[in-house]
Coordinates of all heavy atoms in Angstrom, one line a residue:
M1 N -9.5 19.3 -35.4 CA -8.1 19.4 -35.1 C -7.8 19.7 -33.7 O -7.0 19.1 -33.0 CB -7.5 20.4 -36.1 CG -6.0 20.5 -36.1 SD -5.3 18.9 -36.7 CE -3.7 19.1 -36.2
R2 N -8.6 20.7 -33.2 CA -8.4 21.1 -31.8 C -8.7 20.0 -30.8 O -7.9 19.7 -29.9 CB -9.3 22.3 -31.5 CG -8.9 23.0 -30.2 CD -9.7 24.2 -30.1 NE -9.5 24.9 -28.8 CZ -10.3 25.7 -28.3 NH1 -11.5 26.1 -28.9 NH2 -10.1 26.3 -27.1
S3 N -9.8 19.2 -31.0 CA -10.1 18.2 -30.0 C -9.1 17.0 -30.1 O -8.8 16.4 -29.1 CB -11.5 17.7 -30.3 OG -11.6 17.1 -31.6
A4 N -8.5 16.7 -31.3 CA -7.5 15.7 -31.4 C -6.3 16.0 -30.5 O -5.7 15.1 -29.9 CB -7.1 15.5 -32.8
T5 N -5.9 17.2 -30.5 CA -4.8 17.7 -29.7 C -5.0 17.5 -28.2 O -4.2 17.0 -27.5 CB -4.4 19.1 -30.0 OG1 -4.3 19.3 -31.4 CG2 -3.2 19.6 -29.2
L6 N -6.2 17.8 -27.8 CA -6.6 17.6 -26.3 C -6.6 16.2 -25.9 O -6.1 15.8 -24.9 CB -8.0 18.2 -26.1 CG -8.1 19.7 -26.0 CD1 -9.5 20.2 -25.9 CD2 -7.2 20.2 -24.9
I7 N -7.1 15.3 -26.8 CA -7.1 13.8 -26.4 C -5.7 13.3 -26.3 O -5.3 12.6 -25.4 CB -7.9 13.1 -27.5 CG1 -9.4 13.4 -27.4 CG2 -7.6 11.6 -27.4 CD1 -10.2 12.9 -28.6
F8 N -4.8 13.7 -27.2 CA -3.4 13.3 -27.2 C -2.7 13.7 -25.9 O -2.1 12.9 -25.2 CB -2.7 13.9 -28.4 CG -1.3 13.4 -28.5 CD1 -1.0 12.1 -28.7 CD2 -0.2 14.3 -28.4 CE1 0.3 11.6 -28.9 CE2 1.1 13.9 -28.6 CZ 1.3 12.5 -28.8
A9 N -2.9 15.0 -25.5 CA -2.3 15.5 -24.2 C -2.8 14.7 -23.0 O -2.1 14.3 -22.1 CB -2.6 16.9 -24.1
G10 N -4.1 14.3 -23.0 CA -4.7 13.6 -21.9 C -4.1 12.2 -21.8 O -3.8 11.7 -20.7
A11 N -3.8 11.5 -22.9 CA -3.2 10.2 -22.9 C -1.8 10.2 -22.2 O -1.5 9.4 -21.5 CB -3.2 9.7 -24.3
I12 N -1.1 11.3 -22.5 CA 0.3 11.4 -21.9 C 0.2 11.6 -20.4 O 0.9 10.9 -19.7 CB 1.0 12.6 -22.6 CG1 1.4 12.2 -24.0 CG2 2.3 12.9 -21.8 CD1 2.0 13.4 -24.8
A13 N -0.7 12.4 -20.0 CA -0.9 12.7 -18.5 C -1.2 11.4 -17.8 O -0.7 11.1 -16.7 CB -1.9 13.7 -18.3
L14 N -2.1 10.6 -18.4 CA -2.5 9.3 -17.7 C -1.3 8.4 -17.6 O -1.1 7.8 -16.6 CB -3.6 8.6 -18.6 CG -5.1 9.1 -18.3 CD1 -6.0 8.4 -19.3 CD2 -5.5 8.8 -16.9
T15 N -0.5 8.3 -18.6 CA 0.6 7.4 -18.6 C 1.6 7.8 -17.5 O 2.1 7.0 -16.8 CB 1.3 7.4 -20.0 OG1 0.3 7.1 -21.0 CG2 2.4 6.4 -20.0
V16 N 1.9 9.1 -17.4 CA 2.8 9.5 -16.4 C 2.4 9.3 -15.0 O 3.1 8.8 -14.2 CB 3.1 11.0 -16.6 CG1 3.9 11.6 -15.5 CG2 3.8 11.3 -17.9
S17 N 1.1 9.5 -14.7 CA 0.6 9.4 -13.3 C 0.6 7.9 -12.9 O 0.9 7.5 -11.8 CB -0.7 10.0 -13.1 OG -1.7 9.3 -13.8
A18 N 0.3 7.0 -13.9 CA 0.2 5.6 -13.5 C 1.6 5.1 -13.2 O 1.8 4.3 -12.3 CB -0.3 4.8 -14.7
A19 N 2.6 5.5 -14.0 CA 4.0 5.1 -13.7 C 4.5 5.6 -12.4 O 5.1 4.8 -11.6 CB 4.9 5.6 -14.9
R20 N 4.1 6.8 -12.0 CA 4.6 7.3 -10.8 C 4.1 6.5 -9.6 O 4.8 6.2 -8.6 CB 4.3 8.8 -10.7 CG 5.0 9.4 -9.5 CD 4.3 10.7 -9.2 NE 4.7 11.8 -10.0 CZ 4.0 12.9 -10.2 NH1 2.9 13.1 -9.6 NH2 4.4 13.9 -11.0
S21 N 2.8 6.2 -9.6 CA 2.2 5.6 -8.4 C 2.7 4.2 -8.3 O 2.8 3.7 -7.2 CB 0.6 5.6 -8.5 OG 0.2 4.8 -9.5
D22 N 3.1 3.5 -9.3 CA 3.7 2.2 -9.2 C 5.0 2.2 -8.5 O 5.3 1.4 -7.7 CB 3.9 1.6 -10.6 CG 2.6 1.1 -11.2 OD1 1.6 1.1 -10.5 OD2 2.6 0.7 -12.4
D23 N 5.8 3.2 -8.8 CA 7.1 3.3 -8.2 C 7.1 3.7 -6.7 O 7.8 3.1 -5.9 CB 7.9 4.5 -8.9 CG 8.2 4.1 -10.3 OD1 8.2 2.9 -10.6 OD2 8.6 5.0 -11.0
S24 N 6.2 4.6 -6.3 CA 6.4 5.2 -5.0 C 5.6 4.6 -3.9 O 5.9 4.9 -2.7 CB 6.1 6.7 -5.1 OG 4.8 6.9 -5.7
H25 N 4.7 3.7 -4.2 CA 3.9 3.2 -3.1 C 4.0 1.7 -2.9 O 3.0 1.0 -2.5 CB 2.4 3.6 -3.3 CG 2.2 5.1 -3.3 ND1 2.9 5.9 -2.4 CD2 1.5 5.9 -4.1 CE1 2.6 7.2 -2.6 NE2 1.8 7.2 -3.7
M26 N 5.1 1.1 -3.2 CA 5.4 -0.3 -2.9 C 5.9 -0.5 -1.5 O 6.9 0.2 -1.1 CB 6.4 -0.8 -4.0 CG 6.8 -2.2 -3.8 SD 5.5 -3.5 -4.1 CE 5.4 -3.5 -5.9
I27 N 5.3 -1.4 -0.8 CA 5.8 -1.7 0.6 C 6.3 -3.2 0.5 O 5.5 -4.0 0.1 CB 4.8 -1.5 1.7 CG1 4.2 -0.1 1.7 CG2 5.3 -1.9 3.0 CD1 5.2 1.0 2.1
V28 N 7.5 -3.4 0.9 CA 8.0 -4.8 0.9 C 7.9 -5.4 2.3 O 8.3 -4.8 3.3 CB 9.5 -4.8 0.4 CG1 10.1 -6.2 0.6 CG2 9.5 -4.4 -1.1
Q29 N 7.4 -6.6 2.4 CA 7.4 -7.4 3.7 C 8.6 -8.3 3.6 O 8.6 -9.2 2.8 CB 6.2 -8.2 3.9 CG 4.9 -7.3 4.0 CD 3.7 -7.9 3.3 OE1 3.8 -8.0 2.0 NE2 2.7 -8.2 4.0
M30 N 9.6 -8.1 4.5 CA 10.8 -8.9 4.4 C 11.4 -9.0 5.8 O 11.5 -8.0 6.6 CB 11.8 -8.2 3.5 CG 12.9 -9.2 3.0 SD 13.8 -8.5 1.5 CE 14.3 -6.9 2.1
S31 N 11.8 -10.2 6.2 CA 12.4 -10.5 7.5 C 11.5 -10.0 8.6 O 11.9 -9.4 9.6 CB 13.8 -9.8 7.7 OG 14.6 -10.2 6.6
R32 N 10.2 -10.3 8.5 CA 9.1 -10.0 9.5 C 9.0 -8.5 9.7 O 8.8 -8.1 10.9 CB 9.4 -10.7 10.8 CG 9.2 -12.2 10.7 CD 9.3 -12.9 12.0 NE 9.0 -14.3 12.0 CZ 9.9 -15.2 11.6 NH1 11.2 -14.9 11.2 NH2 9.6 -16.5 11.5
A33 N 9.3 -7.7 8.7 CA 9.1 -6.2 8.9 C 8.6 -5.6 7.6 O 8.8 -6.2 6.5 CB 10.5 -5.6 9.3
F34 N 8.0 -4.4 7.7 CA 7.6 -3.6 6.5 C 8.8 -2.7 6.2 O 9.4 -2.1 7.0 CB 6.4 -2.8 6.9 CG 5.1 -3.6 7.1 CD1 4.6 -3.7 8.4 CD2 4.4 -4.2 6.1 CE1 3.4 -4.4 8.6 CE2 3.3 -4.9 6.3 CZ 2.7 -5.0 7.6
H35 N 9.0 -2.6 4.9 CA 10.1 -1.7 4.4 C 9.5 -0.8 3.3 O 9.1 -1.4 2.3 CB 11.2 -2.5 3.9 CG 11.8 -3.4 4.8 ND1 12.8 -3.1 5.8 CD2 11.6 -4.8 5.0 CE1 13.1 -4.1 6.5 NE2 12.4 -5.2 6.1
P36 N 9.5 0.5 3.5 CA 9.9 1.2 4.7 C 8.9 1.0 5.8 O 7.8 0.5 5.6 CB 9.9 2.7 4.2 CG 8.8 2.8 3.1 CD 8.9 1.4 2.4
G37 N 9.2 1.5 7.0 CA 8.3 1.4 8.2 C 7.4 2.5 8.3 O 6.5 2.5 9.2
E38 N 7.5 3.6 7.5 CA 6.6 4.7 7.6 C 6.5 5.3 6.2 O 7.5 5.4 5.4 CB 7.2 5.8 8.5 CG 6.4 7.0 8.8 CD 6.8 7.7 10.0 OE1 7.9 7.5 10.5 OE2 6.0 8.6 10.5
V39 N 5.3 5.8 5.8 CA 5.1 6.3 4.4 C 4.0 7.4 4.5 O 3.1 7.3 5.3 CB 4.8 5.1 3.5 CG1 3.4 4.5 3.8 CG2 4.8 5.6 2.0
T40 N 4.1 8.4 3.6 CA 3.1 9.4 3.4 C 2.5 9.3 2.0 O 3.3 9.3 1.0 CB 3.7 10.8 3.6 OG1 4.3 10.8 5.0 CG2 2.7 11.9 3.5
I41 N 1.2 9.2 1.9 CA 0.5 9.2 0.6 C -0.6 10.2 0.6 O -0.9 10.8 1.6 CB 0.0 7.7 0.3 CG1 -1.1 7.4 1.4 CG2 1.1 6.7 0.3 CD1 -1.7 6.0 1.0
L42 N -1.2 10.3 -0.6 CA -2.4 11.2 -0.7 C -3.7 10.4 -0.5 O -3.7 9.2 -0.8 CB -2.4 11.8 -2.1 CG -1.2 12.7 -2.4 CD1 -1.3 13.2 -3.8 CD2 -1.1 13.9 -1.4
R43 N -4.7 11.0 0.0 CA -6.0 10.4 0.2 C -6.5 9.8 -1.1 O -6.4 10.4 -2.2 CB -7.0 11.4 0.7 CG -8.4 10.8 0.9 CD -9.2 11.7 1.8 NE -9.1 13.1 1.5 CZ -9.9 13.9 0.8 NH1 -11.0 13.3 0.3 NH2 -9.7 15.1 0.6
G44 N -6.9 8.5 -1.0 CA -7.4 7.8 -2.2 C -6.4 6.9 -2.9 O -6.7 6.1 -3.7
E45 N -5.1 7.1 -2.5 CA -4.1 6.3 -3.1 C -4.0 5.0 -2.4 O -4.5 4.8 -1.4 CB -2.7 7.0 -3.0 CG -2.6 8.2 -4.0 CD -1.3 8.9 -4.0 OE1 -0.5 8.8 -3.0 OE2 -0.9 9.5 -5.0
A46 N -3.3 4.1 -3.1 CA -3.1 2.7 -2.6 C -1.7 2.3 -2.3 O -0.8 2.9 -3.0 CB -3.7 1.7 -3.6
L47 N -1.5 1.5 -1.3 CA -0.2 0.9 -1.1 C -0.2 -0.6 -1.6 O -1.3 -1.3 -1.5 CB 0.2 0.8 0.4 CG 0.3 2.2 1.1 CD1 0.6 1.9 2.6 CD2 1.4 3.0 0.5
V48 N 0.8 -1.0 -2.3 CA 0.9 -2.4 -2.7 C 1.9 -3.1 -1.9 O 3.1 -2.7 -1.8 CB 1.3 -2.5 -4.2 CG1 1.5 -4.0 -4.6 CG2 0.3 -1.8 -5.1
F49 N 1.5 -4.2 -1.2 CA 2.3 -4.9 -0.2 C 2.8 -6.2 -1.0 O 2.1 -7.0 -1.5 CB 1.6 -5.3 1.0 CG 1.2 -4.1 1.9 CD1 0.0 -3.4 1.6 CD2 2.0 -3.7 2.9 CE1 -0.3 -2.3 2.3 CE2 1.6 -2.6 3.7 CZ 0.5 -1.9 3.4
S50 N 4.2 -6.3 -1.0 CA 4.8 -7.5 -1.7 C 5.5 -8.4 -0.6 O 6.4 -7.9 0.0 CB 5.8 -6.9 -2.7 OG 6.4 -8.0 -3.3
N51 N 5.0 -9.6 -0.5 CA 5.6 -10.5 0.4 C 6.9 -11.1 -0.1 O 6.8 -12.0 -1.0 CB 4.6 -11.6 0.8 CG 5.1 -12.6 1.8 OD1 6.3 -12.5 2.3 ND2 4.3 -13.5 2.2
R52 N 8.0 -10.7 0.3 CA 9.3 -11.2 -0.1 C 9.9 -12.2 0.8 O 11.0 -12.7 0.7 CB 10.3 -10.1 -0.4 CG 9.8 -9.0 -1.2 CD 10.1 -9.2 -2.7 NE 9.5 -8.1 -3.5 CZ 10.0 -7.0 -3.9 NH1 11.3 -6.7 -3.5 NH2 9.4 -6.1 -4.6
D53 N 9.2 -12.6 1.9 CA 9.6 -13.7 2.8 C 9.2 -15.0 2.2 O 8.4 -15.1 1.3 CB 9.0 -13.5 4.2 CG 9.8 -12.5 5.0 OD1 11.0 -12.5 5.0 OD2 9.1 -11.6 5.7
D54 N 9.7 -16.1 2.8 CA 9.3 -17.4 2.3 C 8.2 -18.0 3.2 O 8.1 -19.2 3.3 CB 10.5 -18.3 2.1 CG 11.4 -18.5 3.3 OD1 11.0 -18.0 4.4 OD2 12.4 -19.1 3.2
F55 N 7.5 -17.2 3.9 CA 6.4 -17.6 4.8 C 5.2 -16.6 4.6 O 5.4 -15.6 4.0 CB 6.8 -17.8 6.2 CG 7.7 -16.7 6.7 CD1 7.1 -15.5 7.1 CD2 9.1 -16.8 6.8 CE1 7.9 -14.5 7.6 CE2 9.9 -15.8 7.2 CZ 9.3 -14.6 7.7
I56 N 4.1 -17.0 5.2 CA 2.8 -16.3 5.0 C 2.8 -15.0 5.9 O 3.3 -15.0 7.0 CB 1.6 -17.2 5.4 CG1 1.4 -18.2 4.3 CG2 0.4 -16.4 5.6 CD1 0.4 -19.3 4.7
H57 N 2.3 -13.9 5.3 CA 2.0 -12.7 6.1 C 0.5 -12.5 6.0 O -0.3 -13.2 5.4 CB 2.7 -11.5 5.6 CG 4.2 -11.5 5.9 ND1 4.6 -11.4 7.2 CD2 5.3 -11.5 5.1 CE1 6.0 -11.4 7.2 NE2 6.4 -11.5 6.0
Q58 N 0.1 -11.4 6.6 CA -1.3 -11.0 6.6 C -1.3 -9.5 6.9 O -0.3 -8.9 7.4 CB -2.1 -11.7 7.7 CG -3.6 -11.6 7.7 CD -4.1 -10.3 8.4 OE1 -3.4 -9.7 9.2 NE2 -5.4 -10.0 8.1
I59 N -2.4 -8.8 6.5 CA -2.4 -7.3 6.6 C -3.7 -6.9 7.2 O -4.8 -7.3 6.7 CB -2.2 -6.6 5.2 CG1 -0.8 -7.0 4.6 CG2 -2.4 -5.1 5.3 CD1 -0.7 -6.6 3.2
Y60 N -3.7 -6.0 8.2 CA -4.9 -5.4 8.7 C -4.7 -4.0 9.1 O -3.6 -3.6 9.6 CB -5.6 -6.3 9.7 CG -5.0 -6.3 11.1 CD1 -5.5 -5.4 12.1 CD2 -3.9 -7.1 11.5 CE1 -5.0 -5.4 13.4 CE2 -3.4 -7.1 12.7 CZ -3.9 -6.2 13.7 OH -3.4 -6.2 15.0
V61 N -5.8 -3.2 9.0 CA -5.8 -1.9 9.5 C -7.1 -1.7 10.3 O -8.2 -2.1 9.8 CB -5.8 -0.8 8.3 CG1 -5.8 0.6 8.8 CG2 -4.7 -1.1 7.4
K62 N -7.1 -1.2 11.5 CA -8.3 -1.0 12.2 C -8.3 0.4 12.8 O -7.4 0.8 13.6 CB -8.3 -2.0 13.4 CG -9.6 -2.0 14.2 CD -10.6 -2.9 13.7 CE -12.0 -2.8 14.4 NZ -12.8 -1.8 13.7
S63 N -9.2 1.2 12.4 CA -9.3 2.6 13.0 C -10.8 3.0 12.8 O -11.6 2.3 12.2 CB -8.4 3.5 12.2 OG -9.0 3.9 11.0
D64 N -11.1 4.2 13.3 CA -12.5 4.7 13.2 C -12.9 5.0 11.8 O -14.0 4.8 11.4 CB -12.6 6.0 14.0 CG -12.5 5.7 15.5 OD1 -12.7 4.6 15.9 OD2 -12.3 6.7 16.3
S65 N -11.9 5.4 10.9 CA -12.3 5.9 9.6 C -12.0 4.8 8.5 O -12.4 5.0 7.4 CB -11.5 7.2 9.2 OG -10.2 7.1 9.5
M66 N -11.3 3.8 8.8 CA -11.1 2.7 7.9 C -10.8 1.4 8.5 O -10.3 1.3 9.6 CB -10.1 3.0 6.8 CG -8.7 2.6 7.1 SD -7.6 2.8 5.6 CE -7.6 1.2 4.9
S67 N -11.2 0.3 7.8 CA -10.9 -1.0 8.4 C -10.6 -1.9 7.2 O -11.3 -1.9 6.2 CB -12.2 -1.5 9.1 OG -12.1 -2.8 9.5
F68 N -9.5 -2.7 7.3 CA -9.1 -3.6 6.3 C -8.5 -4.9 6.9 O -7.8 -4.8 7.9 CB -8.0 -3.0 5.4 CG -7.6 -3.9 4.3 CD1 -8.2 -3.9 3.0 CD2 -6.4 -4.7 4.5 CE1 -7.8 -4.8 2.0 CE2 -6.0 -5.5 3.4 CZ -6.7 -5.6 2.2
D69 N -8.9 -6.0 6.3 CA -8.4 -7.3 6.9 C -8.2 -8.3 5.7 O -9.2 -8.7 5.1 CB -9.5 -7.8 7.9 CG -8.9 -8.5 9.1 OD1 -7.8 -9.1 8.9 OD2 -9.5 -8.5 10.1
S70 N -6.9 -8.6 5.4 CA -6.7 -9.4 4.2 C -6.8 -10.9 4.6 O -6.7 -11.2 5.8 CB -5.3 -9.1 3.6 OG -4.3 -9.8 4.4
D71 N -6.9 -11.7 3.6 CA -6.7 -13.2 3.8 C -5.2 -13.4 4.0 O -4.4 -12.5 4.0 CB -7.1 -13.9 2.5 CG -8.6 -13.8 2.3 OD1 -9.3 -13.7 3.2 OD2 -9.0 -13.9 1.1
E72 N -4.8 -14.7 4.3 CA -3.4 -15.0 4.4 C -2.7 -14.6 3.1 O -3.3 -14.8 2.0 CB -3.3 -16.5 4.6 CG -3.7 -16.9 6.0 CD -3.4 -18.4 6.3 OE1 -3.2 -19.1 5.3 OE2 -3.4 -18.8 7.5
Q73 N -1.5 -14.1 3.2 CA -0.8 -13.6 2.0 C 0.5 -14.5 1.8 O 1.5 -14.3 2.4 CB -0.4 -12.2 2.2 CG 0.3 -11.6 1.0 CD 1.0 -10.2 1.4 OE1 0.9 -9.8 2.6 NE2 1.5 -9.5 0.5
P74 N 0.4 -15.4 0.8 CA 1.5 -16.4 0.6 C 2.7 -15.6 0.1 O 2.6 -14.5 -0.4 CB 1.0 -17.3 -0.4 CG -0.5 -17.1 -0.5 CD -0.7 -15.7 -0.1
P75 N 3.9 -16.3 0.2 CA 5.1 -15.7 -0.4 C 5.0 -15.3 -1.9 O 4.3 -16.1 -2.6 CB 6.2 -16.8 -0.2 CG 5.7 -17.7 0.9 CD 4.2 -17.6 0.8
G76 N 5.5 -14.2 -2.2 CA 5.4 -13.7 -3.6 C 4.2 -13.0 -4.0 O 4.1 -12.5 -5.1
Q77 N 3.1 -13.1 -3.2 CA 1.9 -12.4 -3.5 C 1.8 -11.0 -3.1 O 2.3 -10.6 -2.1 CB 0.7 -13.2 -2.8 CG -0.6 -12.8 -3.4 CD -1.8 -13.6 -2.7 OE1 -2.3 -13.1 -1.7 NE2 -2.1 -14.7 -3.2
N78 N 1.2 -10.2 -4.0 CA 1.0 -8.7 -3.7 C -0.5 -8.5 -3.2 O -1.4 -9.1 -3.8 CB 1.2 -7.9 -5.0 CG 2.7 -7.8 -5.3 OD1 3.5 -8.3 -4.6 ND2 3.0 -7.0 -6.4
V79 N -0.6 -7.6 -2.3 CA -1.9 -7.2 -1.8 C -2.0 -5.7 -1.9 O -1.1 -5.0 -1.4 CB -2.2 -7.6 -0.4 CG1 -3.5 -7.1 0.2 CG2 -2.2 -9.2 -0.3
S80 N -3.1 -5.1 -2.5 CA -3.2 -3.7 -2.6 C -4.3 -3.2 -1.6 O -5.3 -3.8 -1.4 CB -3.7 -3.3 -4.0 OG -4.0 -2.0 -4.2
V81 N -3.9 -2.1 -0.9 CA -4.8 -1.5 0.1 C -4.9 0.0 -0.2 O -3.9 0.7 -0.2 CB -4.2 -1.7 1.5 CG1 -5.2 -1.2 2.6 CG2 -3.9 -3.2 1.8
S82 N -6.2 0.5 -0.4 CA -6.3 1.9 -0.6 C -6.8 2.6 0.7 O -7.4 2.0 1.5 CB -7.3 2.2 -1.8 OG -8.4 1.4 -1.7
F83 N -6.4 3.8 0.8 CA -6.7 4.6 2.0 C -7.6 5.8 1.6 O -7.2 6.8 1.1 CB -5.4 5.1 2.6 CG -4.6 4.0 3.1 CD1 -3.8 3.1 2.3 CD2 -4.5 3.8 4.5 CE1 -3.1 2.1 2.9 CE2 -3.8 2.7 5.1 CZ -3.1 1.9 4.2
P84 N -8.9 5.7 1.9 CA -9.9 6.7 1.5 C -10.0 7.9 2.4 O -10.7 8.8 2.0 CB -11.2 5.9 1.4 CG -11.0 4.8 2.5 CD -9.5 4.5 2.5
A85 N -9.4 7.9 3.6 CA -9.6 9.0 4.5 C -8.3 9.5 5.0 O -7.3 8.8 5.0 CB -10.4 8.4 5.7
N86 N -8.3 10.8 5.3 CA -7.1 11.4 5.9 C -6.8 10.9 7.3 O -7.7 10.5 8.0 CB -7.3 12.9 6.0 CG -7.2 13.6 4.6 OD1 -7.4 13.0 3.6 ND2 -7.1 14.9 4.6
G87 N -5.5 10.9 7.7 CA -5.2 10.6 9.0 C -3.9 9.8 9.1 O -3.2 9.6 8.1
T88 N -3.6 9.2 10.3 CA -2.5 8.4 10.5 C -3.0 7.0 10.8 O -3.8 6.9 11.7 CB -1.5 8.9 11.5 OG1 -1.1 10.2 11.1 CG2 -0.3 8.0 11.8
F89 N -2.5 6.0 10.1 CA -3.0 4.6 10.3 C -1.8 3.7 10.6 O -0.7 3.8 10.1 CB -3.7 4.1 9.0 CG -4.8 5.0 8.7 CD1 -4.6 6.1 7.8 CD2 -6.1 4.8 9.2 CE1 -5.7 6.9 7.5 CE2 -7.2 5.7 8.9 CZ -6.9 6.7 8.0
A90 N -2.1 2.7 11.4 CA -1.1 1.6 11.7 C -1.6 0.4 10.9 O -2.7 -0.1 11.0 CB -1.1 1.3 13.2
V91 N -0.6 -0.1 10.1 CA -0.8 -1.4 9.3 C -0.1 -2.5 10.1 O 1.1 -2.3 10.4 CB -0.3 -1.2 7.9 CG1 -0.5 -2.6 7.2 CG2 -1.0 -0.1 7.2
R92 N -0.8 -3.6 10.4 CA -0.2 -4.6 11.2 C -0.4 -6.0 10.5 O -1.1 -6.1 9.5 CB -0.9 -4.7 12.5 CG -1.1 -3.4 13.3 CD 0.2 -2.7 13.6 NE 1.1 -3.6 14.4 CZ 1.1 -3.6 15.7 NH1 0.2 -2.8 16.4 NH2 1.9 -4.4 16.4
C93 N 0.3 -7.0 11.0 CA 0.2 -8.4 10.5 C -0.3 -9.2 11.7 O 0.3 -9.2 12.8 CB 1.5 -8.8 10.0 SG 1.6 -10.6 9.7
R94 N -1.4 -10.0 11.5 CA -1.9 -10.8 12.6 C -1.0 -12.0 13.0 O -1.0 -12.5 14.1 CB -3.3 -11.4 12.2 CG -4.4 -10.3 12.1 CD -5.8 -10.9 12.2 NE -6.8 -9.9 11.9 CZ -7.2 -9.0 12.8 NH1 -6.7 -9.0 14.1 NH2 -8.1 -8.1 12.5
I95 N -0.2 -12.4 12.0 CA 0.7 -13.5 12.3 C 2.0 -13.1 13.0 O 2.6 -13.8 13.8 CB 1.1 -14.2 10.9 CG1 -0.2 -14.7 10.2 CG2 2.1 -15.3 11.1 CD1 -0.1 -15.0 8.8
H96 N 2.4 -11.9 12.7 CA 3.7 -11.3 13.4 C 3.3 -10.0 14.0 O 3.4 -8.9 13.4 CB 4.8 -11.1 12.3 CG 5.0 -12.4 11.5 ND1 4.6 -12.5 10.2 CD2 5.6 -13.5 11.8 CE1 5.0 -13.7 9.7 NE2 5.6 -14.3 10.7
P97 N 2.9 -10.1 15.3 CA 2.4 -8.9 16.0 C 3.4 -7.7 16.1 O 3.0 -6.6 16.3 CB 2.1 -9.4 17.4 CG 2.0 -10.9 17.2 CD 2.9 -11.3 16.1
R98 N 4.7 -8.0 15.9 CA 5.7 -6.9 15.9 C 5.8 -6.1 14.6 O 6.4 -5.0 14.6 CB 7.1 -7.4 16.3 CG 7.1 -7.9 17.7 CD 8.6 -8.3 18.1 NE 8.6 -8.8 19.4 CZ 9.7 -9.3 20.0 NH1 10.8 -9.4 19.3 NH2 9.7 -9.7 21.2
M99 N 5.2 -6.6 13.6 CA 5.2 -5.9 12.3 C 4.3 -4.6 12.4 O 3.2 -4.7 12.7 CB 4.8 -6.8 11.1 CG 5.8 -7.9 10.8 SD 5.2 -8.9 9.5 CE 5.4 -7.8 8.1
N100 N 4.9 -3.5 12.0 CA 4.1 -2.2 12.1 C 4.5 -1.3 11.1 O 5.7 -1.0 10.9 CB 4.3 -1.6 13.5 CG 3.4 -0.4 13.7 OD1 2.3 -0.4 13.2 ND2 3.9 0.5 14.5
L101 N 3.6 -0.8 10.3 CA 3.8 0.3 9.3 C 2.9 1.5 9.6 O 1.7 1.3 9.8 CB 3.5 -0.2 7.9 CG 3.3 0.8 6.8 CD1 4.7 1.4 6.5 CD2 2.7 0.2 5.5
T102 N 3.5 2.6 9.7 CA 2.8 3.9 10.0 C 2.5 4.5 8.6 O 3.4 4.8 7.9 CB 3.5 4.8 10.9 OG1 3.8 4.1 12.1 CG2 2.7 6.1 11.2
V103 N 1.2 4.8 8.3 CA 0.8 5.4 7.0 C 0.2 6.8 7.3 O -0.8 6.8 8.1 CB -0.2 4.5 6.3 CG1 -0.5 5.2 4.9 CG2 0.4 3.1 6.1
H104 N 0.8 7.8 6.8 CA 0.2 9.2 6.9 C -0.6 9.4 5.6 O 0.0 9.4 4.5 CB 1.3 10.2 7.1 CG 2.1 10.0 8.3 ND1 1.8 10.2 9.6 CD2 3.4 9.4 8.4 CE1 2.7 9.9 10.4 NE2 3.7 9.4 9.7
V105 N -1.9 9.8 5.7 CA -2.7 10.1 4.5 C -3.1 11.5 4.6 O -3.7 12.0 5.5 CB -3.9 9.2 4.4 CG1 -4.7 9.4 3.2 CG2 -3.5 7.7 4.5
K106 N -2.7 12.3 3.5 CA -3.0 13.7 3.5 C -3.9 14.1 2.4 O -4.0 13.5 1.4 CB -1.6 14.5 3.3 CG -0.7 14.1 4.4 CD 0.5 15.1 4.5 CE 1.3 14.9 5.8 NZ 2.5 15.7 5.9
Ligands
CU201 CU1 3.7 -11.2 8.9

């Protein structure tokens, strides 16, 4: 009886945390810009980039503690990028050099 109660409580906790991360870490690429342009997340969390323009984007991060380089990202496609290290990172697009997102990882 006691172990059944523990399993039930764990299932609720998992559901709540999954719903929250879906809401709060979505970045939209629209009109050749990231929205929002700055975000703070916890170490190990991911950002999901959603291309809402009708042309291709791309995503890259280059720093001492992490490196990411996506393929071309067609309209409507989502790309997930996780951040395994603390610090401040610039996310850029190789196709549109003025696109810049600042990510603070704590
Ligand atoms: Cu772009």
